[in-house]
Amino acid sequence: MTQNENAPAPIVRMEKVNKHFGSLHVLKEIDLEVAPGEVVVIIGASGSGKSTLIRCINGLEEFQEGHIDVDGNELTPHGRSGQALQKIRTEVGMVFQQFNLFPHLSVLDNVILAPMKVRSWSRADAVETADRLLERVGISDQAAKYPSQLSGGQQQRVALARALAMEPRLMLFDEPTSALDPEMIGEVLDAMRELVREGMTMIIVTHEMGFAREVADRVIYIHKGEIAEQAPPEQIFDSPTDERTRSFLARVLKH
Amino acid sequence: MEVTFQFDWAAAFRSIPHLLPGIPWTLLISFGGLAIGFIIGIVFGLMRISPSRLIRWPAIVYIEVFRGTPILVQVLFIFYGLPQLLGSPINALTAGIAAIAVNSGAYISEVVRGGVQSIERGQREASLSLGLSRTQAFRYVIWPQAFRRMIPPLGNQGIISIKDTSLFSVIGVGELVRQGQIYIATTFTALEVYFMVALMYLAITWSLSLLLRQLEKRGLVGQ
């Protein structure tokens, strides 16, 4: 990606990141920069390494070579980043495919846990923020319920509110709609659209090509652990230059 | 020869006041031992899943040794063996509590390990991604869920340990079986007395079962 001189410093910078899983080379020489406010969508076949890539950004996965800089905090290979990692995790929110809500806590307690324990907010402050966020994602009337009492779409919206409660500077989405029944995908995508409108920096791994085309500033196609092509959505979807991108899109867009 | 023997209900009821003094001892040994065993179980159960081999190994050895030897041998070792080593006698009550503690501790370690390992990896990942430290993730997210899953196997262990205390009649601690033996020695009513002893164990273990069922029911919300 080219950057003009007065562009703000990138919020994420990955340089020559390599990750191996035993003999498997999962990420190959990944170079990636994400500017503040940018929405980057990562597409690719399952097993291509796209989830692994974003999980490296908040240290859920270790990598062996290269380095990752998130908002001035540097992650080093082999997971030896200590304080920097902790700092990154408080500033980077993540939404998972399987929601991963805390089943023993009410919806409200799910949302206020991290602000109270990590940011040391008072309960009153945390609840106020949680109420606002739950209302924004349309769950305000369910705050006292437990996750198991909600539909998948509602659970994922709570998970989004939970991540936003930490006031992150960057949001990672790891296939946020892949575990949802088709009729619930729309409500989660709507909540994400609103976040895009507010200018949140987002890196989204998804199979929702229509959504990618609509919200992305840039689409990245990953093939076998490599960035095969990256371009604005119109270009990637309408006239991909890489043969591998073309054949992948031909396969997924046919259905 | 005509069989004249019958179950003598009067003798059974007469034995009750002589058996009752055994109940506090049985309860003290089992619950005292289990309380210590629970602490041992948490410590060694967590050591058992440590990524460090140096921490994991002592826990494995402890669990294998105390799970792999009979509790009767353990209590005899503590009561008769250890004093030779220490040069001072150990009273029977202490020996009984210690035996239940180290024995149940070994089993509870495995219960703790299983409970913690049964929590989906995503719970830890979600906690860490929110900025919680590993300790906070364990304390606020993993442990409360693991503990709920541990209640049924813990109840099992409680019932087993209560029954195990009956073996401690051999070291002369005045628990239920011991009181029964003393009473039978003068009345020769073994059938009736051991029947009553069995009923008293059943009363204790059944109460525990009911209590645990309530606990589980309460804990079920939100699972």
Side-chain angles (χ1 to χ4, degrees), chain A residues 14 17 19-21 26-27 49 51-64 68 75-79 81 85 89 94 174, chain B residues 121 125:
Chain A
M14 302 177 83
V17 171
K19 179 177 175 61
H20 306 264
F21 251 142
V26 203
L27 294 179
S51 287
T52 310
L53 191 157
I54 65 165
R55 287 163 57 88
C56 281
I57 294 173
N58 67 350
L60 290 182
E61 299 279 354
E62 294 178 6
F63 53 96
Q64 281 80 34
I68 302 176
L75 287 178
T76 48
H78 304 291
S81 309
L85 176 58
R89 283 173 174 166
M94 190 170 204
D174 188 3
Chain B
R121 206 180 55 171
E125 292 183 348

Side-chain angles (χ1 to χ4, degrees), chain B residues 8-222:
Chain B
D8 182 351
W9 282 103
F13 285 117
R14 267 200 309 278
S15 73
I16 292 176
H18 299 273
L19 299 177
L20 284 179
I23 289 183
W25 289 96
T26 294
L27 292 179
L28 180 62
I29 298 170
S30 37
F31 287 102
L34 281 165
I36 302 169
F38 186 55
I39 295 166
I40 295 176
I42 292 174
V43 173
F44 282 81
L46 296 181
M47 283 170 66
R48 176 74 182 73
I49 45 180
S50 163
S52 153
R53 195 178 297 181
L54 223 67
I55 296 175
R56 207 166 55 233
W57 252 94
I60 293 173
V61 170
Y62 163 74
I63 292 165
E64 291 304 329
V65 166
F66 285 94
R67 228 174 33 159
T69 53
I71 188 166
L72 182 58
V73 175
Q74 289 165 14
V75 76
L76 291 173
F77 180 87
I78 294 169
F79 187 65
Y80 294 110
L82 273 191
Q84 286 186 11
L85 210 67
L86 302 172
S88 64
I90 293 173
N91 75 50
L93 175 65
T94 310
I97 291 177
I100 293 293
V102 294
N103 185 270
S104 70
Y107 286 95
I108 294 173
S109 296
E110 288 291 89
V111 170
V112 168
R113 175 175 78 94
V116 170
Q117 285 183 332
S118 77
I119 304 302
E120 299 70 26
R121 206 180 55 171
Q123 292 292 306
R124 187 166 180 273
E125 292 183 348
S127 310
L128 297 180
S129 80
L130 286 164
L132 294 171
S133 68
R134 279 162 23 166
T135 316
Q136 287 175 323
F138 183 79
R139 177 166 162 205
Y140 299 115
V141 177
I142 311 296
W143 179 256
Q145 296 183 59
F147 184 71
R148 260 168 222 189
R149 293 188 190 177
M150 282 160 49
I151 292 175
L154 282 177
N156 245 340
Q157 185 55 45
I159 286 167
I160 290 169
S161 290
I162 288 168
K163 294 184 298 178
D164 280 347
T165 61
S166 65
L167 295 165
F168 300 167
S169 55
V170 298
I171 58 168
V173 64
E175 45 68 65
L176 264 173
V177 171
R178 180 74 183 154
Q179 300 294 346
Q181 288 172 335
I182 293 168
Y183 184 66
I184 291 165
T186 58
T187 60
F188 306 105
T189 49
L191 177 69
E192 290 80 3
V193 174
Y194 283 131
F195 178 76
M196 292 313 290
V197 167
L199 273 188
M200 288 183 185
Y201 277 109
L202 197 59
I204 297 171
T205 54
W206 204 336
S207 310
L208 181 63
S209 291
L210 289 176
L211 186 81
L212 287 164
R213 213 171 302 162
Q214 287 308 310
L215 253 173
E216 250 183 276
K217 231 183 261 174
R218 270 208 329 218
L220 225 61
V221 185

Side-chain angles (χ1 to χ4, degrees), chain A residues 152-174:
Chain A
Q154 290 172 323
Q155 289 190 49
Q156 193 61 301
R157 284 182 284 149
V158 172
L160 178 58
R162 179 177 69 174
L164 293 176
M166 285 295 286
E167 303 185 330
R169 302 206 48 205
L170 166 69
M171 281 294 299
L172 307 173
F173 292 86
D174 188 3

Side-chain angles (χ1 to χ4, degrees), chain A residues 116-180:
Chain A
M116 287 177 65
K117 301 302 176 193
V118 180
R119 294 228 189 270
S120 308
W121 290 5
S122 71
R123 189 180 169 85
D125 286 348
V127 168
E128 199 187 307
T129 303
D131 284 345
R132 182 169 47 78
L133 288 168
L134 287 172
E135 190 175 330
R136 196 167 105 185
V137 297
I139 314 276
S140 47
D141 47 341
Q142 323 267 5
K145 287 192 179 171
Y146 284 87
S148 60
Q149 297 169 293
L150 304 183
S151 72
Q154 290 172 323
Q155 289 190 49
Q156 193 61 301
R157 284 182 284 149
V158 172
L160 178 58
R162 179 177 69 174
L164 293 176
M166 285 295 286
E167 303 185 330
R169 302 206 48 205
L170 166 69
M171 281 294 299
L172 307 173
F173 292 86
D174 188 3
E175 302 196 28
T177 58
S178 296
L180 293 173

Side-chain angles (χ1 to χ4, degrees), chain A residues 207-238:
Chain A
H207 294 289
E208 296 291 329
M209 297 303 161
F211 180 72
R213 178 189 281 262
E214 175 195 334
V215 304
D217 296 312
R218 182 164 38 127
V219 176
I220 293 177
Y221 171 64
I222 293 217
H223 183 83
K224 292 184 178 166
E226 260 178 295
I227 295 183
E229 184 169 0
Q230 51 179 318
E234 311 76 46
Q235 193 182 322
I236 282 259
F237 290 116
D238 298 335

Side-chain angles (χ1 to χ4, degrees), chain A residues 31-47:
Chain A
D31 285 314
L32 173 66
E33 289 194 353
V34 179
E38 196 179 10
V39 176
V40 173
V41 172
I42 302 177
I43 59 173
S46 48

